[in-house]
Amino acid sequence: GAVVSQHPSWVICKSGTSVKIECRSLDFQATTMFWYRQFPKQSLMLMATSNEGSKATYEQGVEKDKFLINHASLTLSTLTVTSAHPEDSSFYICSARPPTGPLFGYTFGSGTRLTVV
Amino acid sequence: QKEVEQNSGPLSVPEGAIASLNCTYSDRGSQSFFWYRQYSGKSPELIMSIYSNGDKEDGRFTAQLNKASQYVSLLIRDSQPSDSATYLCALYPYSSASKIIFGSGTRLSIRP
């Protein structure tokens, strides 16, 4: 149980275009999902907390208008990288916590490798 | 002081030996503790969770928690080359039960 599916697993886009990444909880409902970014050989960086039915909470330094998050249902959160540039190239990972109490760890999606050319 | 501290490594351990990974944390009210394994280019995978002081064993893995000393460790027995990965320590701090705090990870290399 507790599977999180992330799509696409990799994407290449041209500079200036937008890319949408989907994160789905397959066998549980997730009122909260989390979006991370990870550059090569660096640690996970939390970008934002996605809240079902309300606005996302962004971490300091993350541009809200550039990284649009929508959490329209209890099983789907999307991250849209708008007007992507080469410096946005990174590994984006979503996660969710199964609703079995606060003592359980996150389940991560498989990640999306974004390359902006 | 970082909330969760880990030695970045790399920690090099011969195959078949015990790998010992350590993590210290600053918030005494921290509740649940986790170890994630992350292979290069992949997303993290939860391998152990521990909530009470003492040891918790699962196969070749043992998690150890000492709340008084504010450290949590992960022992990997009979280390295999496939254990080579980055290991992330994580916890729920008391003040923010909905969000896990991650350490920066320790890179483990098992040499044949």
Side-chain angles (χ1 to χ4, degrees), chain B residues 42-88:
Chain B
K42 302 294 185 182
S43 64
E45 171 193 12
L46 179 64
I47 56 172
M48 288 289 284
S49 58
I50 185 166
Y51 316 122
S52 305
N53 278 326
D55 295 0
K56 179 181 177 183
E57 187 175 318
D58 184 0
R60 295 187 296 113
F61 298 99
T62 299
Q64 299 176 318
L65 174 61
N66 184 321
K67 291 186 177 181
S69 300
Q70 294 175 243
Y71 82 78
V72 57
S73 61
L74 179 70
L75 302 179
I76 307 175
R77 290 182 298 282
D78 187 23
S79 297
Q80 303 295 311
S82 59
D83 295 324
S84 297
T86 295
Y87 289 81
L88 304 171

mmCIF file of all heavy atoms in Angstrom, chain B residues 42-88:
data_model
loop_
_atom_site.group_PDB
_atom_site.id
_atom_site.type_symbol
_atom_site.label_atom_id
_atom_site.label_comp_id
_atom_site.label_asym_id
_atom_site.label_seq_id
_atom_site.Cartn_x
_atom_site.Cartn_y
_atom_site.Cartn_z
ATOM 1 N N LYS B 42 17.610 8.383 -8.179
ATOM 2 C CA LYS B 42 16.293 7.861 -7.791
ATOM 3 C C LYS B 42 15.737 8.665 -6.630
ATOM 4 O O LYS B 42 16.437 9.460 -6.002
ATOM 5 C CB LYS B 42 16.416 6.387 -7.374
ATOM 6 C CG LYS B 42 16.999 5.489 -8.458
ATOM 7 C CD LYS B 42 16.079 5.375 -9.646
ATOM 8 C CE LYS B 42 16.632 4.385 -10.659
ATOM 9 N NZ LYS B 42 15.763 4.298 -11.870
ATOM 10 N N SER B 43 14.464 8.443 -6.336
ATOM 11 C CA SER B 43 13.847 9.138 -5.214
ATOM 12 C C SER B 43 14.075 8.351 -3.921
ATOM 13 O O SER B 43 14.410 7.160 -3.964
ATOM 14 C CB SER B 43 12.354 9.331 -5.476
ATOM 15 O OG SER B 43 11.693 8.090 -5.555
ATOM 16 N N PRO B 44 13.926 8.995 -2.774
ATOM 17 C CA PRO B 44 14.162 8.308 -1.501
ATOM 18 C C PRO B 44 13.148 7.198 -1.238
ATOM 19 O O PRO B 44 11.988 7.289 -1.633
ATOM 20 C CB PRO B 44 14.012 9.430 -0.470
ATOM 21 C CG PRO B 44 14.241 10.692 -1.237
ATOM 22 C CD PRO B 44 13.679 10.428 -2.590
ATOM 23 N N GLU B 45 13.609 6.199 -0.516
ATOM 24 C CA GLU B 45 12.783 5.043 -0.173
ATOM 25 C C GLU B 45 12.878 4.840 1.334
ATOM 26 O O GLU B 45 13.978 4.758 1.891
ATOM 27 C CB GLU B 45 13.313 3.817 -0.914
ATOM 28 C CG GLU B 45 12.698 2.497 -0.509
ATOM 29 C CD GLU B 45 13.490 1.316 -1.060
ATOM 30 O OE1 GLU B 45 14.622 1.526 -1.543
ATOM 31 O OE2 GLU B 45 12.985 0.195 -0.985
ATOM 32 N N LEU B 46 11.749 4.746 2.003
ATOM 33 C CA LEU B 46 11.738 4.545 3.451
ATOM 34 C C LEU B 46 12.183 3.123 3.781
ATOM 35 O O LEU B 46 11.616 2.154 3.270
ATOM 36 C CB LEU B 46 10.324 4.786 3.991
ATOM 37 C CG LEU B 46 10.111 4.607 5.490
ATOM 38 C CD1 LEU B 46 10.916 5.631 6.276
ATOM 39 C CD2 LEU B 46 8.632 4.717 5.843
ATOM 40 N N ILE B 47 13.208 3.001 4.622
ATOM 41 C CA ILE B 47 13.675 1.665 4.976
ATOM 42 C C ILE B 47 13.463 1.340 6.452
ATOM 43 O O ILE B 47 13.345 0.166 6.811
ATOM 44 C CB ILE B 47 15.159 1.450 4.585
ATOM 45 C CG1 ILE B 47 16.065 2.517 5.204
ATOM 46 C CG2 ILE B 47 15.321 1.396 3.079
ATOM 47 C CD1 ILE B 47 17.546 2.231 5.014
ATOM 48 N N MET B 48 13.450 2.344 7.313
ATOM 49 C CA MET B 48 13.268 2.073 8.739
ATOM 50 C C MET B 48 12.559 3.258 9.391
ATOM 51 O O MET B 48 12.771 4.410 9.021
ATOM 52 C CB MET B 48 14.598 1.874 9.448
ATOM 53 C CG MET B 48 15.307 0.578 9.135
ATOM 54 S SD MET B 48 14.481 -0.855 9.861
ATOM 55 C CE MET B 48 14.961 -0.685 11.591
ATOM 56 N N SER B 49 11.744 2.954 10.378
ATOM 57 C CA SER B 49 11.157 3.978 11.222
ATOM 58 C C SER B 49 11.300 3.526 12.673
ATOM 59 O O SER B 49 11.274 2.322 12.951
ATOM 60 C CB SER B 49 9.687 4.201 10.870
ATOM 61 O OG SER B 49 8.959 3.003 10.991
ATOM 62 N N ILE B 50 11.467 4.466 13.575
ATOM 63 C CA ILE B 50 11.615 4.122 14.983
ATOM 64 C C ILE B 50 11.010 5.233 15.814
ATOM 65 O O ILE B 50 11.165 6.423 15.496
ATOM 66 C CB ILE B 50 13.097 3.853 15.335
ATOM 67 C CG1 ILE B 50 13.239 3.366 16.772
ATOM 68 C CG2 ILE B 50 13.965 5.082 15.081
ATOM 69 C CD1 ILE B 50 14.608 2.762 17.091
ATOM 70 N N TYR B 51 10.316 4.839 16.880
ATOM 71 C CA TYR B 51 9.603 5.828 17.682
ATOM 72 C C TYR B 51 10.009 5.802 19.157
ATOM 73 O O TYR B 51 9.847 6.793 19.847
ATOM 74 C CB TYR B 51 8.088 5.583 17.586
ATOM 75 C CG TYR B 51 7.614 5.309 16.188
ATOM 76 C CD1 TYR B 51 6.958 4.133 15.872
ATOM 77 C CD2 TYR B 51 7.827 6.232 15.173
ATOM 78 C CE1 TYR B 51 6.532 3.879 14.581
ATOM 79 C CE2 TYR B 51 7.399 5.988 13.882
ATOM 80 C CZ TYR B 51 6.751 4.815 13.588
ATOM 81 O OH TYR B 51 6.328 4.566 12.306
ATOM 82 N N SER B 52 10.530 4.664 19.614
ATOM 83 C CA SER B 52 10.860 4.507 21.026
ATOM 84 C C SER B 52 12.351 4.312 21.201
ATOM 85 O O SER B 52 13.036 3.817 20.300
ATOM 86 C CB SER B 52 10.132 3.286 21.602
ATOM 87 O OG SER B 52 8.746 3.384 21.390
ATOM 88 N N ASN B 53 12.834 4.676 22.371
ATOM 89 C CA ASN B 53 14.244 4.449 22.681
ATOM 90 C C ASN B 53 14.592 2.981 22.543
ATOM 91 O O ASN B 53 13.791 2.100 22.859
ATOM 92 C CB ASN B 53 14.551 4.900 24.113
ATOM 93 C CG ASN B 53 14.787 6.386 24.205
ATOM 94 O OD1 ASN B 53 15.325 7.013 23.295
ATOM 95 N ND2 ASN B 53 14.371 6.973 25.316
ATOM 96 N N GLY B 54 15.801 2.732 22.069
ATOM 97 C CA GLY B 54 16.252 1.358 21.955
ATOM 98 C C GLY B 54 16.537 0.990 20.522
ATOM 99 O O GLY B 54 16.790 1.852 19.685
ATOM 100 N N ASP B 55 16.522 -0.297 20.274
ATOM 101 C CA ASP B 55 16.842 -0.823 18.955
ATOM 102 C C ASP B 55 15.604 -1.373 18.276
ATOM 103 O O ASP B 55 14.708 -1.907 18.922
ATOM 104 C CB ASP B 55 17.878 -1.960 19.074
ATOM 105 C CG ASP B 55 19.217 -1.472 19.592
ATOM 106 O OD1 ASP B 55 19.348 -0.264 19.858
ATOM 107 O OD2 ASP B 55 20.124 -2.309 19.731
ATOM 108 N N LYS B 56 15.617 -1.267 16.956
ATOM 109 C CA LYS B 56 14.574 -1.889 16.150
ATOM 110 C C LYS B 56 15.262 -2.560 14.970
ATOM 111 O O LYS B 56 16.011 -1.921 14.239
ATOM 112 C CB LYS B 56 13.572 -0.848 15.644
ATOM 113 C CG LYS B 56 12.474 -1.442 14.781
ATOM 114 C CD LYS B 56 11.528 -0.365 14.280
ATOM 115 C CE LYS B 56 10.467 -0.952 13.357
ATOM 116 N NZ LYS B 56 9.581 0.117 12.801
ATOM 117 N N GLU B 57 15.011 -3.853 14.830
ATOM 118 C CA GLU B 57 15.702 -4.625 13.813
ATOM 119 C C GLU B 57 14.743 -5.024 12.700
ATOM 120 O O GLU B 57 13.595 -5.375 12.936
ATOM 121 C CB GLU B 57 16.318 -5.873 14.451
ATOM 122 C CG GLU B 57 17.201 -6.683 13.535
ATOM 123 C CD GLU B 57 17.879 -7.828 14.279
ATOM 124 O OE1 GLU B 57 18.340 -7.616 15.415
ATOM 125 O OE2 GLU B 57 17.918 -8.939 13.719
ATOM 126 N N ASP B 58 15.246 -4.972 11.473
ATOM 127 C CA ASP B 58 14.476 -5.430 10.315
ATOM 128 C C ASP B 58 15.472 -6.001 9.316
ATOM 129 O O ASP B 58 16.130 -5.251 8.593
ATOM 130 C CB ASP B 58 13.685 -4.275 9.698
ATOM 131 C CG ASP B 58 12.794 -4.734 8.554
ATOM 132 O OD1 ASP B 58 12.781 -5.941 8.227
ATOM 133 O OD2 ASP B 58 12.094 -3.886 7.974
ATOM 134 N N GLY B 59 15.585 -7.314 9.319
ATOM 135 C CA GLY B 59 16.544 -7.953 8.425
ATOM 136 C C GLY B 59 17.963 -7.549 8.762
ATOM 137 O O GLY B 59 18.396 -7.679 9.914
ATOM 138 N N ARG B 60 18.686 -7.032 7.798
ATOM 139 C CA ARG B 60 20.082 -6.622 8.047
ATOM 140 C C ARG B 60 20.174 -5.223 8.650
ATOM 141 O O ARG B 60 21.271 -4.769 8.970
ATOM 142 C CB ARG B 60 20.864 -6.674 6.732
ATOM 143 C CG ARG B 60 21.015 -8.062 6.132
ATOM 144 C CD ARG B 60 21.949 -8.057 4.919
ATOM 145 N NE ARG B 60 21.442 -7.265 3.811
ATOM 146 C CZ ARG B 60 21.997 -6.143 3.386
ATOM 147 N NH1 ARG B 60 23.080 -5.651 3.975
ATOM 148 N NH2 ARG B 60 21.480 -5.492 2.351
ATOM 149 N N PHE B 61 19.051 -4.562 8.787
ATOM 150 C CA PHE B 61 19.051 -3.192 9.280
ATOM 151 C C PHE B 61 18.632 -3.129 10.751
ATOM 152 O O PHE B 61 17.702 -3.817 11.165
ATOM 153 C CB PHE B 61 18.080 -2.322 8.458
ATOM 154 C CG PHE B 61 18.432 -2.214 7.002
ATOM 155 C CD1 PHE B 61 17.803 -3.001 6.059
ATOM 156 C CD2 PHE B 61 19.399 -1.318 6.584
ATOM 157 C CE1 PHE B 61 18.124 -2.899 4.710
ATOM 158 C CE2 PHE B 61 19.726 -1.213 5.240
ATOM 159 C CZ PHE B 61 19.090 -2.014 4.310
ATOM 160 N N THR B 62 19.331 -2.300 11.506
ATOM 161 C CA THR B 62 18.949 -2.008 12.884
ATOM 162 C C THR B 62 18.971 -0.500 13.077
ATOM 163 O O THR B 62 19.989 0.145 12.823
ATOM 164 C CB THR B 62 19.900 -2.657 13.898
ATOM 165 O OG1 THR B 62 19.864 -4.077 13.741
ATOM 166 C CG2 THR B 62 19.497 -2.303 15.330
ATOM 167 N N ALA B 63 17.858 0.041 13.513
ATOM 168 C CA ALA B 63 17.805 1.455 13.874
ATOM 169 C C ALA B 63 17.927 1.560 15.389
ATOM 170 O O ALA B 63 17.370 0.743 16.127
ATOM 171 C CB ALA B 63 16.503 2.085 13.407
ATOM 172 N N GLN B 64 18.677 2.546 15.843
ATOM 173 C CA GLN B 64 18.872 2.764 17.267
ATOM 174 C C GLN B 64 18.486 4.208 17.590
ATOM 175 O O GLN B 64 18.901 5.127 16.893
ATOM 176 C CB GLN B 64 20.337 2.520 17.644
ATOM 177 C CG GLN B 64 20.814 1.112 17.377
ATOM 178 C CD GLN B 64 22.301 0.939 17.670
ATOM 179 O OE1 GLN B 64 23.111 1.797 17.338
ATOM 180 N NE2 GLN B 64 22.647 -0.175 18.291
ATOM 181 N N LEU B 65 17.728 4.365 18.657
ATOM 182 C CA LEU B 65 17.283 5.697 19.053
ATOM 183 C C LEU B 65 17.647 5.952 20.503
ATOM 184 O O LEU B 65 17.371 5.122 21.378
ATOM 185 C CB LEU B 65 15.772 5.839 18.866
ATOM 186 C CG LEU B 65 15.123 7.132 19.364
ATOM 187 C CD1 LEU B 65 15.696 8.348 18.652
ATOM 188 C CD2 LEU B 65 13.607 7.070 19.195
ATOM 189 N N ASN B 66 18.242 7.106 20.764
ATOM 190 C CA ASN B 66 18.565 7.531 22.119
ATOM 191 C C ASN B 66 18.090 8.969 22.256
ATOM 192 O O ASN B 66 18.772 9.909 21.832
ATOM 193 C CB ASN B 66 20.074 7.424 22.365
ATOM 194 C CG ASN B 66 20.448 7.758 23.797
ATOM 195 O OD1 ASN B 66 19.887 8.674 24.404
ATOM 196 N ND2 ASN B 66 21.391 7.017 24.341
ATOM 197 N N LYS B 67 16.911 9.140 22.820
ATOM 198 C CA LYS B 67 16.321 10.473 22.908
ATOM 199 C C LYS B 67 17.061 11.357 23.901
ATOM 200 O O LYS B 67 17.150 12.567 23.720
ATOM 201 C CB LYS B 67 14.848 10.385 23.275
ATOM 202 C CG LYS B 67 13.978 9.802 22.172
ATOM 203 C CD LYS B 67 12.507 9.883 22.528
ATOM 204 C CE LYS B 67 11.639 9.360 21.395
ATOM 205 N NZ LYS B 67 10.194 9.456 21.706
ATOM 206 N N ALA B 68 17.605 10.769 24.954
ATOM 207 C CA ALA B 68 18.337 11.568 25.945
ATOM 208 C C ALA B 68 19.562 12.219 25.320
ATOM 209 O O ALA B 68 19.895 13.366 25.606
ATOM 210 C CB ALA B 68 18.730 10.690 27.127
ATOM 211 N N SER B 69 20.229 11.479 24.456
ATOM 212 C CA SER B 69 21.422 11.999 23.788
ATOM 213 C C SER B 69 21.102 12.602 22.430
ATOM 214 O O SER B 69 21.995 13.130 21.759
ATOM 215 C CB SER B 69 22.455 10.886 23.619
ATOM 216 O OG SER B 69 22.827 10.357 24.876
ATOM 217 N N GLN B 70 19.863 12.526 22.023
ATOM 218 C CA GLN B 70 19.386 13.113 20.782
ATOM 219 C C GLN B 70 20.141 12.593 19.563
ATOM 220 O O GLN B 70 20.654 13.376 18.744
ATOM 221 C CB GLN B 70 19.439 14.643 20.869
ATOM 222 C CG GLN B 70 18.464 15.178 21.908
ATOM 223 C CD GLN B 70 18.574 16.680 22.104
ATOM 224 O OE1 GLN B 70 18.919 17.160 23.186
ATOM 225 N NE2 GLN B 70 18.293 17.426 21.064
ATOM 226 N N TYR B 71 20.246 11.289 19.491
ATOM 227 C CA TYR B 71 20.819 10.733 18.278
ATOM 228 C C TYR B 71 20.050 9.488 17.862
ATOM 229 O O TYR B 71 19.417 8.800 18.667
ATOM 230 C CB TYR B 71 22.315 10.428 18.422
ATOM 231 C CG TYR B 71 22.662 9.129 19.100
ATOM 232 C CD1 TYR B 71 22.578 7.906 18.428
ATOM 233 C CD2 TYR B 71 23.086 9.115 20.421
ATOM 234 C CE1 TYR B 71 22.885 6.710 19.042
ATOM 235 C CE2 TYR B 71 23.410 7.921 21.046
ATOM 236 C CZ TYR B 71 23.309 6.726 20.360
ATOM 237 O OH TYR B 71 23.618 5.559 20.981
ATOM 238 N N VAL B 72 20.117 9.257 16.558
ATOM 239 C CA VAL B 72 19.533 8.058 15.980
ATOM 240 C C VAL B 72 20.554 7.495 14.995
ATOM 241 O O VAL B 72 21.259 8.255 14.319
ATOM 242 C CB VAL B 72 18.180 8.377 15.309
ATOM 243 C CG1 VAL B 72 18.317 9.435 14.248
ATOM 244 C CG2 VAL B 72 17.539 7.129 14.749
ATOM 245 N N SER B 73 20.684 6.191 14.978
ATOM 246 C CA SER B 73 21.674 5.587 14.106
ATOM 247 C C SER B 73 21.063 4.447 13.315
ATOM 248 O O SER B 73 19.997 3.923 13.654
ATOM 249 C CB SER B 73 22.884 5.116 14.907
ATOM 250 O OG SER B 73 22.483 4.151 15.845
ATOM 251 N N LEU B 74 21.746 4.084 12.260
ATOM 252 C CA LEU B 74 21.338 2.964 11.421
ATOM 253 C C LEU B 74 22.546 2.058 11.236
ATOM 254 O O LEU B 74 23.607 2.522 10.802
ATOM 255 C CB LEU B 74 20.846 3.446 10.061
ATOM 256 C CG LEU B 74 20.414 2.343 9.080
ATOM 257 C CD1 LEU B 74 19.120 1.677 9.555
ATOM 258 C CD2 LEU B 74 20.235 2.913 7.671
ATOM 259 N N LEU B 75 22.377 0.788 11.587
ATOM 260 C CA LEU B 75 23.417 -0.200 11.371
ATOM 261 C C LEU B 75 22.987 -1.112 10.228
ATOM 262 O O LEU B 75 21.840 -1.563 10.184
ATOM 263 C CB LEU B 75 23.645 -1.039 12.636
ATOM 264 C CG LEU B 75 24.032 -0.279 13.901
ATOM 265 C CD1 LEU B 75 24.186 -1.257 15.067
ATOM 266 C CD2 LEU B 75 25.325 0.498 13.698
ATOM 267 N N ILE B 76 23.904 -1.354 9.328
ATOM 268 C CA ILE B 76 23.661 -2.286 8.230
ATOM 269 C C ILE B 76 24.661 -3.423 8.371
ATOM 270 O O ILE B 76 25.875 -3.217 8.237
ATOM 271 C CB ILE B 76 23.816 -1.615 6.852
ATOM 272 C CG1 ILE B 76 22.945 -0.360 6.767
ATOM 273 C CG2 ILE B 76 23.443 -2.592 5.740
ATOM 274 C CD1 ILE B 76 23.137 0.437 5.474
ATOM 275 N N ARG B 77 24.139 -4.609 8.670
ATOM 276 C CA ARG B 77 25.015 -5.772 8.843
ATOM 277 C C ARG B 77 25.270 -6.432 7.499
ATOM 278 O O ARG B 77 24.459 -6.324 6.575
ATOM 279 C CB ARG B 77 24.380 -6.780 9.796
ATOM 280 C CG ARG B 77 24.327 -6.331 11.239
ATOM 281 C CD ARG B 77 23.722 -7.425 12.129
ATOM 282 N NE ARG B 77 22.348 -7.725 11.741
ATOM 283 C CZ ARG B 77 21.319 -6.971 12.054
ATOM 284 N NH1 ARG B 77 21.485 -5.866 12.761
ATOM 285 N NH2 ARG B 77 20.099 -7.309 11.657
ATOM 286 N N ASP B 78 26.412 -7.136 7.414
ATOM 287 C CA ASP B 78 26.748 -7.872 6.189
ATOM 288 C C ASP B 78 26.552 -6.962 4.962
ATOM 289 O O ASP B 78 25.802 -7.284 4.030
ATOM 290 C CB ASP B 78 25.874 -9.127 6.073
ATOM 291 C CG ASP B 78 26.281 -10.022 4.929
ATOM 292 O OD1 ASP B 78 27.454 -9.940 4.506
ATOM 293 O OD2 ASP B 78 25.426 -10.785 4.445
ATOM 294 N N SER B 79 27.214 -5.834 4.982
ATOM 295 C CA SER B 79 27.028 -4.831 3.927
ATOM 296 C C SER B 79 27.289 -5.418 2.549
ATOM 297 O O SER B 79 28.246 -6.181 2.343
ATOM 298 C CB SER B 79 27.975 -3.646 4.162
ATOM 299 O OG SER B 79 27.677 -2.997 5.369
ATOM 300 N N GLN B 80 26.443 -5.033 1.613
ATOM 301 C CA GLN B 80 26.546 -5.492 0.239
ATOM 302 C C GLN B 80 26.790 -4.301 -0.682
ATOM 303 O O GLN B 80 26.381 -3.177 -0.361
ATOM 304 C CB GLN B 80 25.254 -6.207 -0.174
ATOM 305 C CG GLN B 80 24.888 -7.385 0.706
ATOM 306 C CD GLN B 80 25.911 -8.497 0.606
ATOM 307 O OE1 GLN B 80 26.287 -8.902 -0.489
ATOM 308 N NE2 GLN B 80 26.367 -8.982 1.756
ATOM 309 N N PRO B 81 27.395 -4.524 -1.837
ATOM 310 C CA PRO B 81 27.571 -3.400 -2.780
ATOM 311 C C PRO B 81 26.259 -2.699 -3.108
ATOM 312 O O PRO B 81 26.238 -1.486 -3.350
ATOM 313 C CB PRO B 81 28.173 -4.090 -4.009
ATOM 314 C CG PRO B 81 28.947 -5.246 -3.444
ATOM 315 C CD PRO B 81 28.106 -5.736 -2.296
ATOM 316 N N SER B 82 25.165 -3.441 -3.069
ATOM 317 C CA SER B 82 23.861 -2.846 -3.368
ATOM 318 C C SER B 82 23.387 -1.889 -2.272
ATOM 319 O O SER B 82 22.410 -1.166 -2.453
ATOM 320 C CB SER B 82 22.805 -3.942 -3.568
ATOM 321 O OG SER B 82 22.708 -4.743 -2.407
ATOM 322 N N ASP B 83 24.083 -1.884 -1.138
ATOM 323 C CA ASP B 83 23.745 -0.927 -0.078
ATOM 324 C C ASP B 83 24.376 0.436 -0.336
ATOM 325 O O ASP B 83 24.103 1.400 0.394
ATOM 326 C CB ASP B 83 24.229 -1.449 1.287
ATOM 327 C CG ASP B 83 23.514 -2.718 1.720
ATOM 328 O OD1 ASP B 83 22.305 -2.856 1.437
ATOM 329 O OD2 ASP B 83 24.177 -3.579 2.341
ATOM 330 N N SER B 84 25.233 0.523 -1.324
ATOM 331 C CA SER B 84 25.865 1.804 -1.650
ATOM 332 C C SER B 84 24.798 2.790 -2.100
ATOM 333 O O SER B 84 24.114 2.572 -3.108
ATOM 334 C CB SER B 84 26.918 1.615 -2.756
ATOM 335 O OG SER B 84 27.957 0.764 -2.331
ATOM 336 N N ALA B 85 24.641 3.854 -1.350
ATOM 337 C CA ALA B 85 23.574 4.829 -1.596
ATOM 338 C C ALA B 85 23.773 5.981 -0.618
ATOM 339 O O ALA B 85 24.682 5.956 0.208
ATOM 340 C CB ALA B 85 22.196 4.193 -1.380
ATOM 341 N N THR B 86 22.906 6.959 -0.723
ATOM 342 C CA THR B 86 22.874 8.024 0.285
ATOM 343 C C THR B 86 21.746 7.714 1.258
ATOM 344 O O THR B 86 20.633 7.384 0.833
ATOM 345 C CB THR B 86 22.656 9.395 -0.383
ATOM 346 O OG1 THR B 86 23.773 9.701 -1.214
ATOM 347 C CG2 THR B 86 22.520 10.491 0.670
ATOM 348 N N TYR B 87 22.043 7.816 2.537
ATOM 349 C CA TYR B 87 21.061 7.511 3.571
ATOM 350 C C TYR B 87 20.650 8.807 4.262
ATOM 351 O O TYR B 87 21.485 9.540 4.785
ATOM 352 C CB TYR B 87 21.637 6.506 4.569
ATOM 353 C CG TYR B 87 21.767 5.141 3.943
ATOM 354 C CD1 TYR B 87 22.860 4.846 3.123
ATOM 355 C CD2 TYR B 87 20.789 4.165 4.121
ATOM 356 C CE1 TYR B 87 22.963 3.607 2.508
ATOM 357 C CE2 TYR B 87 20.890 2.931 3.508
ATOM 358 C CZ TYR B 87 21.977 2.657 2.696
ATOM 359 O OH TYR B 87 22.076 1.435 2.083
ATOM 360 N N LEU B 88 19.352 9.053 4.237
ATOM 361 C CA LEU B 88 18.800 10.281 4.804
ATOM 362 C C LEU B 88 18.137 9.987 6.137
ATOM 363 O O LEU B 88 17.296 9.088 6.238
ATOM 364 C CB LEU B 88 17.751 10.874 3.853
ATOM 365 C CG LEU B 88 18.187 11.159 2.430
ATOM 366 C CD1 LEU B 88 16.989 11.526 1.565
ATOM 367 C CD2 LEU B 88 19.199 12.281 2.400
#
